[in-house]
Amino acid sequence: MPPIALTVFLLLCAYLLGSVSGSLLLGRLRGVDIRRHGSGNAGGTNALRTLGWRFALGVVAIDLGKGALAAWLALRFAPLGLALDVTAHGYAAAACAVVGHVWPLWHGFRGGKGAATAVGGLLMLWPWSIGVLLPVWMLVLVATCYVGLSTVLAALALPLLAWGTDAEPARLWFSMFAALFIAFTHRANLQRLRQGTESRFERARLLHRLRRGPSR
């Protein structure tokens, strides 16, 4: 296969992998369309709120796994001799998987918000970055109890991390893409935050109270 055709094929495969939505796939096995429950989002948080932690764990495993698999396939089979090097193929494939998750071909182009799939790609391409992003996510969640805000701020920390560590261009571009794209997919959450109508994550309220200590 010509190198350019192979690149297009790998990126298409990444998009199709991303289109396999964990919540919608597992939901079909249970006869449930999660988009008709809770917030209507086909993501892990809504899965946890509406169908419990076991279902949500399976959803997150699939969504992480497809991001990692898309990146691995691109790294493994990337053609040589193109302006796009092997690492850049991996990041481009991870980005395509994220796009597939948000607009899945197999599910009427109505998917989730892409954060877990982006993390799956990072686990394969830049694993130590998760050691920075996860604490940011957890700190914001405990402080505010807003999952959407936690996810957006963690994503926005990614390009800062890339810039601060003098990352290669492919990593920097992916970081900027992930930050902007995840902010875009969470735009409704941000709008509700401005309006004061965003729902808090109830389980995080307990952590918030423990952090503040007993009331007097």
Side-chain angles (χ1 to χ4, degrees):
M1 184 181 293
I4 293 179
L6 180 54
T7 293
V8 172
F9 177 73
L10 288 171
L11 298 183
L12 177 61
C13 286
Y15 167 77
L16 295 176
L17 273 173
S19 291
V20 179
S21 172
S23 62
L24 298 177
L25 178 64
L26 296 180
R28 282 186 178 180
L29 296 177
R30 295 181 57 169
V32 175
D33 186 342
I34 196 172
R35 295 171 297 185
R36 298 180 180 178
H37 299 271
S39 68
N41 180 252
T45 302
N46 193 37
L48 178 61
R49 282 172 169 159
T50 58
L51 295 174
W53 70 267
R54 290 184 179 84
F55 183 86
L57 187 62
V59 169
V60 172
I62 292 173
D63 291 346
L64 286 172
K66 68 188 183 185
L69 180 59
W72 180 84
L73 288 172
L75 293 174
R76 174 65 178 81
F77 297 105
L80 302 177
L82 293 179
L84 207 64
D85 64 18
V86 172
T87 303
H89 273 81
Y91 281 109
C96 288
V98 172
V99 171
H101 178 81
V102 176
W103 295 296
L105 176 65
W106 317 121
H107 305 287
F109 300 99
R110 290 180 54 216
K113 296 180 180 178
T117 304
V119 169
L122 287 172
L123 286 171
M124 182 59 59
L125 297 160
W126 193 12
W128 73 263
S129 68
I130 305 302
V132 175
L133 301 185
L134 185 59
V136 171
W137 186 85
M138 286 295 300
L139 284 171
V140 178
L141 180 63
V142 171
T144 69
C145 303
Y146 292 121
V147 176
L149 180 63
S150 303
T151 303
V152 170
L153 291 180
L156 291 175
L158 190 60
L160 296 177
L161 179 62
W163 177 77
T165 57
D166 196 23
E168 61 190 272
R171 180 169 290 173
L172 182 59
W173 280 109
F174 177 80
S175 298
M176 291 188 292
F177 159 80
L180 293 174
F181 194 75
I182 288 173
F184 168 76
T185 59
H186 286 78
R187 63 194 183 280
N189 301 78
L190 299 176
Q191 179 66 26
R192 289 193 295 269
L193 275 171
R194 287 195 295 269
Q195 297 170 348
T197 58
E198 175 74 338
S199 298
R200 294 180 186 268
F201 187 55
E202 291 301 324
R203 288 177 173 84
R205 284 181 180 271
L206 175 60
L207 295 175
H208 184 71
R209 295 190 187 102
L210 290 174
R211 183 183 66 87
R212 293 178 60 185
S215 58
R216 296 179 181 178

